[in-house]
Every structure is written in structure tokens, then in C-alpha cells.
Amino acid sequence: MDQTRLKRHYLIRSVILTGFTLLLTYLIVSEKLSHYLAPRLHMFSYVTLGILVILTVVSIRQAIVGANEYDCDCEDVHKVPRSPWISLIVYGLFLLPLAMGFLMPDKILGSDVAEKRGITLLSNDVRKLAEVAAATESAKSNTDIADNRNSTDPSLSAGDTKPAPEAGSEQVEESNQEQGPSDATQQEPADIEDEQIRKRFDTNGFGDFYTDLAVSLYKQPVIDLHEKVFLDGLTTMELYAKEFAGKEMEILGFVYRQTDFSAEQFVVARFSVSCCTADASVFGILVEKPDGSKWAKDSWVKVRGKLELRKVDGFDMLMLKANQVEPVKAPKDPYVYYSYDAASNS
């Protein structure tokens, strides 16, 4: 193949590579990369951008200087297309997504996608955890009863309720009683409050992560379910629905409605992304307000109200009885993600 035709192919490739480099640069600089990828994958995009820059520079050099076709045993694998129609098909496969990236607007996911994928108000995982916790609690109580029965000493007379105290035990008890008040006074009021609140949550067996987050959220006069605790906060409140009933909460998200909703009902929802928008799931909480129908679908709102307990399919589910709904702009990163440090972010 002559050098002029070969340079022409490398020029087309340089244009395509330059286009992808500029598109990825635009997404990173404009902070719109989060519309497509989860933050934990952004580093791979930066590496990809560096590789694209190198490939673009090499391709431009070959388009200017020229290059010889590869001479190897790979047959036609490395050779440029020889037919105009094949060239159109091959390069068109790259130009089409490039044109879509530049011409189509960056649109965040909304109700149309939520309707197709369904929205999670009470997740199956939470239901399973609730069933496991109930079974565990039942087994524990049965074990305690059995232990109490086995601990009865048949050698005691009918009038005895406990064995005689051993020598020195009275002194130990008196010592413990003397130390008790002094230890209690050494505790900070905040620590005592945390312990009292923790007793509400640590009996259900859901683990320290959810217990810590439950305590952190419960201490807030108005629970702020912001993006860093959105998913874990919803899960925690689902696990401890009875404990959180009656608490004030503030939440931000887009308006979603189903056809079977009443005029006063809508869902404040957010999309959760694990890797990219292709695996996005929808989570939210049901809201009730007398004038709820005035808020347009897919509009972003900040809602404040009181949590109320409802029975759904035999499970306790929290809904938000709103007293204030405020229109807001969609955040730069509209999606939410699970966090392993949610308690410290609440």
C-alpha cells in the first residue's frame, strides 16, 4: 500500500483517538463522569486517559511521518482496511459512540428507568435479616429457659432459694457496691446517653455496624439522610423500624410515582450505582402529603417530616409523613453508594 493511502488511514485513526481523548477529558473536568461510573472506578478513567493520549500522539506521528505495514505471520490482522466499504464499517463503529457522546445530553437516570427496574422500599435482604434475627432471638430464649431449668440444684431443701454464701463473699459484695457509684460518676453524660440509646438497638442481633449507625442517627434531633448515609441509613431504619417510628427526618431525592399511588403519595428516591449506570438500582422512602400531587415526576425535592410505621406484607415499613417539601436542584453526583464508614459520616 502506498504511503499516501496509509497516512490517510492513520489520520482517520488520529481523529477518532483525539475525539475519545477530548470526550473523556470533558467528562472528568466537568465532573460528569459520575453520571456513568461509580467514584471507585474513576482512577481507571484517569489511567485510560493517559493511555489515549499516548496512542493519539503515536497515531498523529504516523499520520505525518508515515509507517510501514506490519510484516508478521498474523496475515491481515494488523493491516489497514483495503476496501472503502470495510473502512466505512470499521471506522463507523468507533465514530458512532463518539458522536453520541458529544451530541447527546448528559442525562441522569430518572423515573422511566425506575419504573422498568422497580424501586426498593423494603429490600429482600432486610427481610431475610429480620427473619434470621427473629429466629436467633427465639433460639436464645429457648436456650436460656433450658439453662435455668438445668441450673436447679436438687440437693437444696424446699425452703432454700439459694446456696449459703461462701466466706468472704459478703466483703466482695460490699466492695463492689462501694465501687459502683464511683465508676458511674466517672462516665461522661454523653457516654451514658449513648449506652442508654444502644440498649434500644443491640438486642436484635444485626451486628455492630448497624447498631453503631442506628445510635448515631437516633441521636440526631432531625435525621439527615444525606448521600453518604442514604443507603445504609435506609437499611438501618428498616431493620429498626419500630425504634425509629416518630423520629423527624430530612431526605433529598427525585420524585417517583407508581400508577397505584394515591394523589398524596410519592417516593423520594435515589439511584445506587455499584460500578456503572448499567447496574443501577433504585432506593427510596414513601412520602405522604396532602398536596403531594403538585410535585412533578423526576423533580428534585428536599422533604422533611415524621416517620410513621405501616404494615406491608406482614413486615413493618416506615413512611414519611411530610410537613415540608422544598424544590432543589439535582446534586452534581445524583447517585448514592454504600459506605463502610457510614456511622462516622452521619
Side-chain angles (χ1 to χ4, degrees):
M1 181 180 293
D2 61 276
Q3 283 293 318
T4 302
R5 189 176 178 185
L6 192 60
K7 287 182 179 181
R8 190 183 304 123
H9 278 280
Y10 279 115
L11 179 61
I12 297 174
R13 294 181 180 186
S14 299
V15 171
I16 294 175
L17 286 169
T18 301
F20 278 109
T21 302
L22 294 176
L23 178 60
L24 186 53
T25 302
Y26 161 74
L27 292 175
I28 293 174
V29 173
S30 63
E31 298 182 351
K32 293 183 178 179
L33 190 61
S34 298
H35 291 186
Y36 305 95
L37 288 177
R40 64 191 184 92
L41 296 180
H42 286 188
M43 182 57 66
F44 295 102
S45 299
Y46 306 148
V47 174
T48 302
L49 180 59
I51 295 173
L52 282 173
V53 170
I54 295 173
L55 292 176
T56 302
V57 171
V58 172
S59 183
I60 292 174
R61 177 185 176 278
Q62 290 175 324
I64 297 173
V65 178
N68 295 323
E69 289 190 88
Y70 291 96
D71 185 13
C72 63
D73 297 329
C74 303
E75 297 182 353
D76 293 334
V77 173
H78 297 305
K79 293 182 179 180
V80 297
R82 298 183 180 276
S83 168
W85 289 107
I86 295 178
S87 298
L88 181 61
I89 294 173
V90 171
Y91 294 133
L93 293 175
F94 294 93
L95 290 171
L96 180 61
L98 188 60
M100 293 174 63
F102 278 110
L103 299 178
M104 296 183 66
D106 297 310
K107 185 179 180 181
I108 61 177
L109 301 178
S111 295
D112 292 339
V113 179
E115 186 175 354
K116 294 177 182 177
R117 300 191 181 184
I119 187 166
T120 301
L121 295 178
L122 183 61
S123 66
N124 291 329
D125 291 338
V126 172
R127 294 186 178 189
K128 291 176 183 177
L129 281 173
E131 292 171 358
V132 170
T136 303
E137 193 66 26
S138 176
K140 182 180 178 182
S141 62
N142 292 336
T143 303
D144 292 341
I145 294 173
D147 290 342
N148 290 334
R149 289 177 178 174
N150 294 334
S151 63
T152 304
D153 190 348
S155 64
L156 296 177
S157 61
D160 294 333
T161 57
K162 62 179 180 179
E166 298 181 1
S169 61
E170 295 179 358
Q171 290 84 345
V172 174
E173 291 178 0
E174 291 177 0
S175 175
N176 290 336
Q177 291 175 358
E178 293 176 359
Q179 294 176 0
S182 62
D183 292 340
T185 54
Q186 291 177 359
Q187 287 183 315
E188 296 291 335
D191 295 335
I192 297 175
E193 182 185 0
D194 285 356
E195 290 180 4
Q196 292 174 346
I197 296 175
R198 180 173 287 274
K199 289 179 181 179
R200 294 173 173 263
F201 302 103
D202 62 2
T203 59
N204 292 331
F206 294 126
D208 291 338
F209 175 83
Y210 290 112
T211 302
D212 292 342
L213 184 55
V215 172
S216 178
L217 293 174
Y218 193 87
K219 288 171 60 178
Q220 300 179 24
V222 179
I223 298 173
D224 182 12
L225 208 63
H226 55 81
E227 63 277 359
K228 291 185 179 180
V229 297
F230 190 95
L231 295 177
D232 296 302
L234 277 182
T235 302
T236 301
M237 287 188 291
E238 288 167 356
L239 292 173
Y240 301 105
K242 292 181 180 179
E243 287 77 8
F244 279 99
K247 292 286 292 182
E248 291 276 336
M249 189 182 76
E250 188 173 87
I251 185 173
L252 184 146
F254 69 91
V255 175
Y256 169 75
R257 286 190 182 86
Q258 294 182 175
T259 54
D260 57 345
F261 280 6
S262 66
E264 63 181 15
Q265 291 180 331
F266 63 91
V267 172
V268 176
R270 299 286 288 266
F271 275 92
S272 167
V273 175
S274 297
C275 293
C276 62
T277 52
D279 62 24
S281 302
V282 200
F283 296 84
I285 188 168
L286 182 65
V287 176
E288 284 188 357
K289 198 173 188 300
D291 59 347
S293 59
K294 65 182 282 189
W295 305 104
K297 183 180 71 172
D298 287 330
S299 61
W300 281 76
V301 294
K302 180 186 288 185
V303 181
R304 181 169 176 172
K306 181 176 289 188
L307 293 168
E308 292 186 0
L309 200 62
R310 298 288 175 87
K311 215 67 167 171
V312 178
D313 296 333
F315 289 91
D316 294 324
M317 188 185 80
L318 289 170
M319 56 81 59
L320 190 62
K321 198 72 173 179
N323 52 46
Q324 180 180 347
V325 180
E326 176 187 351
V328 295
K329 291 183 178 180
K332 287 185 177 180
D333 187 356
Y335 308 132
V336 290
Y337 316 92
Y338 282 104
S339 170
Y340 295 103
D341 196 24
S344 62
N345 292 325
S346 61

